Amino acid sequence: MDTLAGHMKNKHITVGSPILKSLEPNLIYTGLENASGDPSLNNGLMYQEMSSLNLTDDIDHHVQGHKSILLLDDRERLRVNSVESFLKSLKIEPNTKVKVVSIFGNTGEGKSYTLNTVFFDGKEVFRTSTAQTSCTLGVWAMYNSDLNVICLDTEGLLGISKNEHQRTRLLLKVLAVSDVIIYRTRAERLQRDMYTFLGGASKAYKEHFSAALKKVLAKTDCEKIAGGLGPGVIIFHETHYTDTLHESASVTQSVEDILHTTFADLNMSYDAFSFIKYVGVKTVNSVTSFEKLKNALFEKLENTEVRSPRDAKYVFLTLKSLNEKFQNQISDASPQLYLPAFFTCTDKCQSCKNSCVLSMGHKDEGEPHHSDKSCKFQHQYQNCVYLCKICYKNGNKIVVKPSYQTTSDNSWSSYLNYVWSGYVIECPNCGEIYRSRQHWYGNKNPEDCAVRVEIVHIWPGDKYYFQEKSLLGSQNSAQKVIDGVTMISDLVASVGSQPKKMISELAADKIAPPCWKSNLESRDCYICRTPFSDALRRHHCRACGETVCDPCSSKRQTVPSRGWFSDVRVCDQCYRDSPPSLTTNSDGTENRARVIGETVVNTLAAVKSVVYDKPKELLKDAARPVYWTPDDECINCSICQKPFGLLLYLHHCRNCGKGVCDDCSKARKPVPLRGWEYPVRVCDNCHYL
């Protein structure tokens, strides 16, 4: 008998001719090698309606001997137009109940040969080839009338394809309409790609296909799959030299337990599948045994407890619906030679958890962390900064923050003025841009007129750098003064007299800069070693922080490195004939509480009435840190929910800023992130964090 190619040549018909392309796209495999170069006909496809070409009976007989049809091409295009064409092409009688078996695996693993052997007695219904190029593109279908099973042959994974992602999605859609899937692998050991595919398929089924299938079943009045579970999985594993998992199993650990453990170790799950079964064979010669696979497969097909047979038309309708729903174009990323995790910085923002995008070790080169993604605000971090609005409009990002003194103010009295009148915001380019109490009433918030708020990342190890440029702790120094004034006021009220030496020293230690030596530890002068007494007062050198007597600290000089820009007390050892340059200075943050404290304490003698009543109340609003809940919003204790009043005094936790009662804030600990370097009041919730 002449070959089909010969008949086509005699009839002047070639593969890919306009005559063939004009026919209905219901295709069958003929075994004809394609010589046209047309990718859509690479497998030697011929249209089923060959009789319309008026060819010989030999041709028709050859065509009908191979009944696999192209159901979906490699571009996810459905090649069968209707339910009638689907049933006719597969020769399925209407209302026939069927199950669907599909096969998956890497290219070249023998998937088509497996289906031919298991379901069709070895006949080449699905094409096999010894060539390097893949012999199966897209999804091919064939019906076994004896078992009432539709078999689907799929394109292999890991093949050379320009649309790899699109092909993978195509396979997942086929998996979603199947009742049993066979994962075919010929390898000495199970490889990661199998677990990756099955784990990803399980996740895709739960998150996307399950809901879509329910909608399709509801529209078509199809019998619903019990429990909404996905297909069952049979892993067919063939080895030559190594043992299968059956030899590795034991009395205490079955084959399925080994698979479950491996999935868990890879942080994957297969819980969307109705079952998973392993079939392993060890081939010692060139002939593969399929008996174990047949027995396991037919046993699962006969079981109807989880998935029952369904009308064949619903297989087509379900596949058609899924294909229309998930049909957008997918662009494949170019293969990467390395993973970003190999060389990219591993630090993550503490607020938004986004990773730094720079290379490892960039901080050693002086380059700060960077992320292309925006951060999100977290109340506990207060991770926002002020940007000068005028500069921002001009294309510059200038960070500004509230201060209780302008750069031109050097006198101590100016601190007290700003505590009473509020804070000021200065821009290096624009000067003073905001004053919180510029008017008696009607003052606007800085965000409304002068600054722009920007959320910033908080990177590990950048805590102090972040504090320097953020609003975090920008007003804590004034609150430290309030704490000191409160303590002095309470002691004065209790003893009925003005603050004495012990009270003054105790209050001074509370607001002293970190570099100052404690009054309680100072027994004699650091320079002359003369013991301190009522006649010989102790002082602190503003440069070194040591305690010295009055004769050893009679000189005055600026100390810009410590934030003292006017003449202050320095000891004889620190005094320099040439005053230090003002260009080498700090912002005086660590000394600000002491400076304001000295101003308040020096004013006490002249304004006695202010000591008892006014400082605490009038300074409170200006000095309150930005993260504290305002007093008028603190109705109940945030922990015990008891209402505040005369018998239940209001306090603020220095960590979270919420209003709490005394019983719920007994603990004390430093809160360096908020600028409290020594033990301060914290609520019970923050104490155990």
Side-chain angles (χ1 to χ4, degrees):
M1 180 181 67
D2 294 336
T3 64
L4 180 62
H7 280 288
M8 294 180 65
K9 183 175 181 181
N10 294 334
K11 297 292 182 178
H12 305 286
I13 301 174
T14 60
V15 175
S17 66
I19 298 178
L20 289 179
K21 290 185 178 180
S22 65
L23 298 177
E24 181 183 0
N26 295 331
L27 309 180
I28 62 175
Y29 163 63
T30 65
L32 175 67
E33 294 294 335
N34 172 32
S36 68
D38 187 348
S40 64
L41 300 173
N42 192 44
N43 288 331
L45 306 182
M46 289 294 295
Y47 289 92
Q48 190 177 33
E49 289 78 9
M50 292 295 294
S51 59
S52 63
L53 298 179
N54 195 24
L55 300 182
T56 65
D57 293 337
D58 290 340
I59 299 177
D60 291 337
H61 175 75
H62 185 83
V63 171
Q64 296 300 325
H66 300 80
K67 301 178 182 178
S68 59
I69 68 168
L70 180 62
L71 191 59
L72 288 160
D73 63 19
D74 57 343
R75 298 183 183 180
E76 298 183 285
R77 295 177 298 189
L78 194 63
R79 302 302 295 266
V80 179
N81 296 330
S82 63
V83 172
E84 292 74 15
S85 298
F86 177 75
L87 298 178
K88 180 181 178 182
S89 301
L90 293 177
K91 293 188 176 181
I92 303 176
E93 294 296 328
N95 302 321
T96 302
K97 304 287 186 179
V98 300
K99 282 193 173 183
V100 179
V101 176
S102 57
I103 191 166
F104 301 89
N106 294 336
T107 182
E109 297 285 359
K111 301 185 300 301
S112 303
Y113 179 77
T114 299
L115 290 180
N116 291 336
T117 304
V118 173
F119 289 99
F120 305 104
D121 299 327
K123 296 178 182 178
E124 194 175 358
V125 175
F126 296 105
R127 187 192 178 200
T128 61
S129 173
T130 58
Q132 281 291 320
T133 56
S134 176
C135 59
T136 303
L137 295 178
V139 179
W140 293 72
M142 180 272 294
Y143 175 62
N144 185 313
S145 58
D146 295 332
L147 300 173
N148 288 334
V149 172
I150 297 176
C151 299
L152 300 179
D153 189 17
T154 63
E155 184 177 347
L157 298 167
L158 300 184
I160 300 176
S161 173
K162 294 182 179 180
N163 302 309
E164 181 178 356
H165 295 337
Q166 197 166 358
R167 177 195 58 191
T168 303
R169 184 175 64 182
L170 171 63
L171 299 182
L172 293 177
K173 287 187 285 190
V174 172
L175 180 145
V177 300
S178 302
D179 295 288
V180 179
I181 69 171
I182 304 170
Y183 191 93
R184 177 73 161 99
T185 176
R186 287 191 299 184
E188 297 306 317
R189 294 174 180 85
L190 293 178
Q191 298 173 346
R192 186 188 183 100
D193 53 5
M194 183 199 74
Y195 295 99
T196 301
F197 176 77
L198 293 179
S202 174
K203 184 177 180 181
Y205 189 91
K206 288 195 303 181
E207 295 182 359
H208 303 286
F209 292 119
S210 179
L213 286 172
K214 290 179 181 178
K215 294 180 180 179
V216 174
L217 297 177
K219 292 180 180 179
T220 57
D221 297 327
C222 175
E223 301 91 340
K224 294 185 178 180
I225 300 173
L229 290 175
V233 178
I234 296 179
I235 299 175
F236 183 47
H237 180 205
E238 180 183 2
T239 67
H240 291 281
Y241 306 104
T242 59
D243 295 334
T244 63
L245 288 186
H246 295 295
E247 285 77 16
S248 302
S250 61
V251 178
T252 58
Q253 190 179 34
S254 65
V255 172
E256 283 69 23
D257 292 336
I258 297 175
L259 292 174
H260 179 78
T261 302
T262 307
F263 273 106
D265 292 341
L266 296 174
N267 294 323
M268 298 178 186
S269 173
Y270 58 88
D271 54 355
F273 300 128
S274 55
F275 67 84
I276 187 166
K277 184 176 181 61
Y278 174 86
V279 176
V281 295
K282 188 174 183 179
T283 303
V284 295
N285 51 39
S286 58
V287 180
T288 304
S289 174
F290 293 93
E291 290 303 318
K292 291 183 179 180
L293 175 61
K294 288 182 179 180
N295 295 335
L297 184 59
F298 296 159
E299 176 187 352
K300 294 299 182 181
L301 289 175
E302 293 176 359
N303 190 337
T304 60
E305 293 180 0
V306 178
R307 299 176 70 92
S308 301
R310 49 196 154 142
D311 195 322
K313 69 179 181 179
Y314 293 124
V315 176
F316 173 78
L317 293 175
T318 303
L319 182 60
K320 183 174 183 293
S321 177
L322 292 180
N323 198 56
E324 292 174 351
K325 179 178 178 62
F326 305 104
Q327 188 66 24
N328 64 298
Q329 188 68 26
I330 304 177
S331 59
D332 277 2
S334 58
Q336 294 184 356
L337 182 61
Y338 63 89
L339 296 177
F342 290 173
F343 308 104
T344 306
C345 178
T346 57
D347 286 347
K348 294 185 177 181
C349 172
Q350 297 177 357
S351 180
C352 65
K353 306 305 179 183
N354 286 324
S355 300
C356 175
V357 298
L358 302 180
S359 300
M360 294 179 180
H362 64 88
K363 292 204 68 177
D364 297 336
E365 301 172 358
E367 190 173 2
H369 290 291
H370 174 71
S371 175
D372 297 331
K373 299 180 180 179
S374 300
C375 191
K376 62 180 181 180
F377 181 77
Q378 294 280 4
H379 178 77
Q380 63 268 32
Y381 295 122
Q382 289 290 309
N383 53 317
C384 61
V385 297
Y386 280 168
L387 301 178
C388 175
K389 186 173 289 188
I390 298 176
C391 294
Y392 185 83
K393 291 180 179 179
N394 293 329
N396 299 321
K397 282 190 175 183
I398 305 298
V399 177
V400 295
K401 65 178 182 177
S403 175
Y404 285 96
Q405 185 186 31
T406 63
T407 55
S408 60
D409 291 328
N410 295 321
S411 63
W412 293 354
S413 60
S414 63
Y415 283 100
L416 185 59
N417 293 333
Y418 282 107
V419 171
W420 289 102
S421 62
Y423 60 87
V424 64
I425 300 179
E426 283 189 304
C427 171
N429 298 334
C430 307
E432 182 179 311
I433 59 176
Y434 179 79
R435 191 181 293 267
S436 62
R437 294 187 180 179
Q438 186 173 6
H439 308 290
W440 283 102
Y441 63 91
N443 293 296
K444 296 182 179 180
N445 293 325
E447 297 89 344
D448 299 332
C449 58
V451 299
R452 173 188 175 91
V453 179
E454 182 173 277
I455 310 302
V456 295
H457 295 284
I458 300 181
W459 303 102
D462 286 354
K463 178 182 64 176
Y464 296 104
Y465 169 76
F466 171 70
Q467 288 181 5
E468 283 297 319
K469 66 177 183 177
S470 75
L471 305 180
L472 186 63
S474 62
Q475 297 176 353
N476 283 9
S477 58
Q479 183 60 39
K480 294 177 183 178
V481 177
I482 298 300
D483 292 343
V485 172
T486 300
M487 181 194 65
I488 295 174
S489 300
D490 294 341
L491 290 174
V492 170
S494 63
V495 300
S497 61
Q498 294 184 5
K500 300 299 181 182
K501 179 180 180 182
M502 183 178 298
I503 300 176
S504 300
E505 291 179 351
L506 184 58
D509 278 342
K510 284 290 185 180
I511 59 175
C515 64
W516 281 24
K517 189 174 183 180
S518 173
N519 285 316
L520 299 178
E521 299 176 359
S522 304
R523 303 300 180 186
D524 50 26
C525 176
Y526 175 72
I527 296 178
C528 66
R529 298 301 178 185
T530 303
F532 295 119
S533 62
D534 294 339
L536 189 66
R537 292 184 56 193
R538 66 168 59 87
H539 302 280
H540 281 86
C541 173
R542 270 52 174 177
C544 64
E546 293 289 347
T547 53
V548 291
C549 63
D550 189 73
C552 295
S553 59
S554 59
K555 297 179 175 63
R556 300 291 186 273
Q557 195 171 59
T558 58
V559 188
S561 61
R562 295 289 190 185
W564 307 92
F565 303 105
S566 59
D567 290 340
V568 291
R569 182 186 298 271
V570 294
C571 66
D572 293 346
Q573 292 183 357
C574 295
Y575 180 76
R576 299 290 182 267
D577 293 335
S578 299
S581 173
L582 294 177
T583 58
T584 306
N585 55 48
S586 67
D587 63 356
T589 300
E590 64 176 10
N591 298 327
R592 189 168 298 146
R594 173 67 190 184
V595 174
I596 300 175
E598 288 181 355
T599 305
V600 173
V601 173
N602 291 337
T603 310
L604 295 181
V607 190
K608 293 183 175 61
S609 62
V610 177
V611 175
Y612 300 99
D613 303 319
K614 298 302 182 183
K616 180 179 177 181
E617 300 301 328
L618 296 181
L619 301 181
K620 202 169 186 179
D621 289 338
R624 179 184 294 111
V626 292
Y627 67 96
W628 279 24
T629 304
D631 289 3
D632 56 357
E633 297 180 12
C634 298
I635 309 301
N636 300 320
C637 174
S638 63
I639 297 180
C640 67
Q641 299 302 317
K642 293 180 180 179
F644 294 117
L646 296 176
L647 300 180
L648 193 68
Y649 194 73
L650 167 64
H651 301 283
H652 281 86
C653 172
R654 268 53 173 174
N655 185 53
C656 66
K658 296 180 180 179
V660 291
C661 65
D662 187 71
D663 291 338
C664 297
S665 58
K666 296 289 187 183
R668 302 291 187 272
K669 72 174 183 179
V671 188
L673 184 62
R674 298 294 192 186
W676 310 95
E677 307 294 341
Y678 51 84
V680 289
R681 181 188 299 271
V682 292
C683 66
D684 293 346
N685 290 341
C686 296
H687 176 62
Y688 296 107
L689 289 179

